[in-house]
Amino acid sequence: MSRFVILGGGYGGLTLALHLLEQEPPAGTEIVLVDRMPYQGLKTEYYALAAGTVSEAEIRVSFPNDPRLLLKYGEVTGIDLERKLVLMDQNDPLAYDWLVIALGCVDKYHGIAGAELHSHSIQTLSGSRKAYQAINDLNPYAQVSVVGGGLSGVEIASELRESRPDLNIRIIDRGPSILSSFPPKLVDYVRDWFIEHDVEMLSRVTLQSVEQGVLQNGNERILTDLTVWTAGIQPSPIVQKLPVPKDGQGRVLLNEYHQIPAHPDVFVVGDCASLPFSPSAQAAEEQGKQVAEVMHALWKGETPRLKPIKLKGVLGSLGKKAGFGMMGKKTVIMGKVPRVLKSGVLWMSKHHFG
């Protein structure tokens, strides 16, 4: 009996499981998918759950019902690479022959005092639920501050504007502008949308601390009734503890087959993997497909042959009627079309089409 264990049923882990099952694994191979929840949460849509524009049921995806796939639910507490064991909370350790780490990411608070305690996260379903409840309980004209002017911050600020037009909404970033890594034409479009929809933008803000009701920017006190944190991510704490080489952002360095070089029986997929592009659902799915290719080749006694991953682009929403995106590295799209495309991507994710 050979056991292939996948930790995490998100975009990368679930894509890998589905592609492994497209071809018959070798006889005696047990494929185990481990997750804390009995379904996948579509993380790219957590901002809409927090804003109150979708129900939780709309962003849940059932795991496949396949006798070749064993689903195991529980909290992973550690990985023993030497003994080839996955440590579980309130469960016996899970032994593996092959392991895929697809545990995703958590918020990065950059050492800012009080940031974790006094802000709301949208990195998990439970965190997004809590954010929704807190936002829903706000009185009219309350002030919501979204810290982080990247894609997630822009999406929740715009979605919240549609959901609660009575609220005061601001988006705060330490850089010179929202979406500072995107082309100026796209940034101008999103900035104009925010101005038209009365979303305040504060740039070059370097927070020293976050307190209940106050964001401290040097000597300036920025008052707020509720703070949502979208100012950076870092790999899962489980991966942070692994004694393996990592890049400057704490992501695991891999070989061309997505394996840890010193432990070729272990793959890393998604936000925990050191890749030549930013973490994304699309990148995780492409990695998942490639790890399945590698395993099918190895099971056949063949040498894997992988092509470099090429991402199709980035899509973002501005509420339910507008959006923006980058196709490839240069083509900017804005308006209704990228929003329709993003809805199509969501539909494919919900129906297990990558």
Side-chain angles (χ1 to χ4, degrees):
M1 174 70 72
S2 175
R3 181 178 288 163
F4 188 99
V5 176
I6 304 168
L7 301 183
Y11 292 100
L14 181 55
T15 298
L16 166 60
L18 292 170
H19 279 74
L20 282 178
L21 297 174
E22 284 184 351
Q23 301 180 43
E24 196 65 36
T29 300
E30 182 181 59
I31 300 174
V32 183
L33 177 63
V34 179
D35 201 275
R36 62 163 66 98
M37 301 301 294
Y39 46 77
Q40 180 199 13
L42 295 176
K43 192 172 184 178
T44 57
E45 303 302 310
Y46 286 178
Y47 72 91
L49 174 61
T53 56
V54 301
S55 69
E56 185 175 322
E58 293 179 70
I59 57 172
R60 288 183 185 178
V61 176
S62 299
F63 290 134
N65 182 13
D66 190 303
R68 298 170 298 169
L69 180 67
L70 175 63
L71 300 174
K72 184 175 181 64
Y73 304 122
E75 190 77 29
V76 176
T77 59
I79 300 169
D80 188 329
L81 295 173
E82 301 305 323
R83 294 193 297 162
K84 302 180 71 167
L85 293 174
V86 176
L87 308 180
M88 305 282 294
D89 182 34
Q90 300 181 352
N91 281 288
D92 292 334
L94 179 64
Y96 65 84
D97 296 285
W98 296 92
L99 179 68
V100 178
I101 303 171
L103 290 172
C105 62
V106 295
D107 285 299
K108 187 172 184 177
Y109 294 100
H110 308 283
I112 298 172
E116 183 173 6
L117 181 62
H118 297 298
S119 68
H120 288 273
S121 169
I122 56 171
Q123 289 297 329
T124 64
L125 261 177
S126 60
S128 301
R129 289 189 199 110
K130 293 174 183 176
Y132 164 71
Q133 186 64 56
I135 291 169
N136 192 56
D137 288 344
L138 288 173
N139 292 326
Y141 313 115
Q143 176 69 62
V144 176
S145 299
V146 178
V147 179
L151 186 61
S152 294
V154 165
E155 289 191 311
I156 191 169
S158 57
E159 199 83 3
L160 190 54
R161 169 49 72 223
E162 286 196 356
S163 172
R164 290 289 303 270
D166 57 290
L167 296 176
N168 294 303
I169 302 168
R170 70 162 66 97
I171 186 166
I172 300 172
D173 197 78
R174 63 182 175 180
S177 169
I178 57 171
L179 299 175
S180 56
S181 63
F182 286 78
K185 180 180 178 181
L186 187 151
V187 173
D188 289 343
Y189 172 75
V190 176
R191 187 186 293 117
D192 289 345
W193 192 96
F194 276 156
I195 292 171
E196 180 184 350
H197 292 82
D198 197 26
V199 175
E200 181 185 8
M201 291 168 282
L202 298 181
S203 58
R204 302 190 187 280
V205 173
T206 303
L207 295 180
Q208 278 75 50
S209 66
V210 178
E211 303 168 23
Q212 186 62 44
V214 179
L215 307 175
Q216 195 68 40
N217 176 38
N219 295 324
E220 178 189 13
R221 288 164 57 87
I222 302 173
L223 301 182
T224 185
D225 293 297
L226 183 142
T227 302
V228 179
W229 194 267
T230 66
I233 58 173
Q234 58 186 336
S236 160
I238 305 300
V239 170
Q240 293 180 35
K241 296 175 186 176
L242 286 180
V244 297
K246 298 169 184 145
D247 65 16
Q249 296 175 306
R251 299 184 177 102
V252 179
L253 296 174
L254 306 172
N255 64 19
E256 66 270 33
Y257 301 124
H258 311 296
Q259 298 162 310
I260 300 177
H263 300 275
D265 51 348
V266 181
F267 301 84
V268 183
V269 167
D271 298 337
C272 298
S274 181
L275 299 173
F277 28 74
S278 299
S280 67
Q282 184 184 166
E285 289 177 341
E286 291 302 315
Q287 266 196 293
K289 294 174 187 177
Q290 289 203 341
V291 171
E293 288 182 45
V294 170
M295 285 311 305
H296 283 303
L298 293 177
W299 282 332
K300 294 175 184 176
E302 301 172 354
T303 300
R305 298 181 182 276
L306 299 179
K307 296 179 181 179
I309 291 176
K310 292 184 178 180
L311 302 183
K312 298 174 183 177
V314 179
L315 293 170
S317 68
L318 293 170
K320 292 289 187 281
K321 298 178 181 178
F324 57 91
M326 288 286 299
M327 297 293 101
K329 295 182 178 180
K330 296 182 179 180
T331 305
V332 174
I333 54 175
M334 301 172 291
K336 293 182 179 180
V337 170
R339 190 64 185 88
V340 171
L341 291 175
K342 191 171 190 293
S343 297
V345 171
L346 173 62
W347 185 88
M348 289 191 294
S349 295
K350 290 174 71 172
H351 293 85
H352 290 154
F353 294 117

